[in-house]
Amino acid sequence: MKHIMLSLICMLGLSLSAATWQTFTNTDHVYDININGSDIYISSWGGMVKLKPNITSPQSLADYIEDSLLNTGNGLASNDIRSIAHIGFSNSLWMGSSDAGITIQSAAGTQYLTPELGLPSIRVNKIIEHQSSVLVATPSGIASYYYLAGVGFPLMLNQYTAQNTAGGLAGNNIEDMVLTADNKLFVSTSLGLSYIPLASINTDSAWQSLHGAGSPIPAGLSSKLAINTNKIAIAQQGKVYVNSLTMDNGQWLQYSASNLLSGSDISSVALDDSDRLWVSYGAWKEDSLSYLRPNNILLSVINPDGTVQHWTEGEAGLGTKTISRIVFVNNHLYLCSWGDGIYQKSGNEWLNFTPSGIAFPKITQIVTDNNNAIWIASGYISPKPVRKGSLGVSKYQNGIWRNYDMANSPIHTDNILTVAVDSRNRKWFGTWDINNSPTGWKAGISIYDESTDIWKLLRRSGIRTWNHETGAWGPETSPPTLLTSTIAGIYPAGDGNMMVLCYDGGVSVVDSNDNLITNFRLQNSVNQRSLFAYFNGEKYFFGTNNDLGLIIWNHPSLPVTDGIHWVIPTPSELRNCIVYGVVTVNTPYEGKQHWIAASTGLFMWNESSWYRYDTMVKRFRYSTTTNTWQNDILYYVDEERLFGSVRTTPTSILLDPFNRIWIGSLENGLTMYDPEVERFTNFYKPNHPMLSNNITTLGYDPVEGNLLIGTPDGLNTLRIGRTVKPETDLNSLKAFPNPFRPTGNNTVQIVNLPNDSLPGGESTCRIYDSSGALVVVIKENRYSRFEWNGKSTSAKDCGSGIYFFVVSDEQGNTKRGKLALIR
């Protein structure tokens, strides 16, 4: 028997180590819902959300709150969870994904089912419990699992395919599966419908199918199934077929656009106990993970008397997003929506629960505005929507998310590739947009002034202002402004000006009143395909998309096309690459350094020599005499190496307020370089609770003191230290750990809860022993906490015993606590 992976799920709690990392994913795009007792489980493309009742006897969704989130950072094999089922006999939660099999959560921890353990495919479409077994539908057949007494993980019992059932199962691509109360299994395949009593599932001749000539159900179409105690419904594209569970071929009813349905493809179908047929609409696009609808009808119900009721977007409490699944549980009707969370029917209204979080999984860029709000973009270098991206921008501040897209704001497109903040704290949203972009998308830049609620559209042809009364952009009111309207990046240029990287055109510089100051082209860049710009107050760095690579304007003045200050790097690796970022750092030993993250590696320029950092040799120096890289610094024995010794591509770079450099990679997470100790520290899965080892961008939150780590699967944050304190008073002091054992490098942390921050100004902490003698005075650290290593002012080890701490802020307020020290 092959070994099955087991691991314990790390749940976020009150410990300081757990509070170091946070995870934010998008969970309002819902595939499935499962209700076990009073708990609700939601599966989405951002993981699994558990909801629990906020009161003793919940009556509706209004009585629920978010309890926990499972994702790839804390146990899931994949965030894209397509089917979810609570298995009663093993008290376990089975979560089937689109690309990594099944994750099982139980009291034993977390288990993973993959093809190595009998799963026919890594993609799971449906999971059904039956007595002491579990049936799993995949695109490559059905698998049956059971639990053996005394064994803590499931064992495969059988697989069922068209081949090993002698054609009894119509096809292997199982798209849906339902089980009746009398244990008859109906299976929808790409080749037709098959059904069988479960007691006879191992008898090939017991299978029956509807497919081919003479079948009332067309073959070769994707089918969705629904049953109640009497009937079965089969939905294909824009039609629904309904029959008795006895499968009387002469009694099929057909519904389509010609009689009651909307004319759109069908996203889900359900039958309630009153024989009402419920239908939701939308054509699923797996390549973009999105739904398309030709009209605004979301949902229909067809009554037994033949009458129909339609619900449109925004009606009776519904939102605007497609209904992805209709579920009946305990006489309650629930709707899963693709972007608006879940709904529950309550009388004539629909109650909504939308999980809080970022609006999308894929993250392109992160910036912090002048009010310390975080803005995150989801666009890509693509004229069309991409999977899990191209969904506008998200704002995060004070624990609250707000999302902006074309459906809820005047923003000009959902494909926001780049975000910038100007000197007036206006937000600039730039898009990658060319002629074959989707209808409604506009090229150029939206400029949003939150203080006045004024939106402007800046394009090559001029500037427009949004008219809130008409809900449309006004006429252009200025001469041409930008070189092109395809925006690859927007960056500050000093003096309140903004650099706009106009792809295939050059760079436009715009002042704080949106007037054009100058246009210029990058020297030696053939196509002017710039993606990145950075001004450090002394010089400008430009990064291109393999269009020469790195280009430097070595002067604080604005660049000029034919100016004399252009510098082209000497190493060939920087003259044929993609540049993802540049930072300038002042080091204690080597002075000023400019670090460059490029597709060809991690480089540094100290304005006299070029260096390259690597995994085997710590640093190479470029020789202009031989035009080769020569060893400069070697790693010490057991010294941690760049990217944990894994060869990968740097994808992002950030200098934090504490003079440390953070470098994201394509395949192995995150590396931090500290110039004070000249050492690398690495963070990657599975050693840290990260969503992905692919880091797309980095940012910083000065209020919460978090490094912001963008990935294709969501946002991670890592506590690295505050520069701005939230407003708070001395409230409840707590010491972690307590008792405290100062062995090795362990320290005790003294924190001010609930904000985990000290009041403004400098607070101090005095440690006293049990006799009342002052032991040591401690200053707060960069995390707005106090940290004690168990030593006195004279650096002597303090003995075991009870110690008291007194924290005072600048206003003279004090709070006290005690801790135990054990040697």
Side-chain angles (χ1 to χ4, degrees), residues 416-432:
I416 302 300
L417 175 66
T418 180
V419 181
V421 180
D422 67 16
S423 60
R424 296 164 54 188
N425 202 35
R426 298 183 304 168
K427 269 55 73 172
W428 293 51
F429 308 123
T431 182
W432 182 273

Side-chain angles (χ1 to χ4, degrees), residues 9-12 23-27 42 44 46-50 66-76 79 355-356 691:
I9 296 176
C10 292
M11 303 303 293
L12 293 179
T23 301
F24 299 95
T25 62
N26 175 261
T27 53
I42 301 171
S44 72
M48 188 281 294
V49 181
K50 178 186 175 183
E66 293 182 50
D67 178 43
S68 61
L69 169 66
L70 282 181
N71 50 54
T72 52
N74 61 2
L76 285 184
N79 284 339
S356 175
L691 287 165

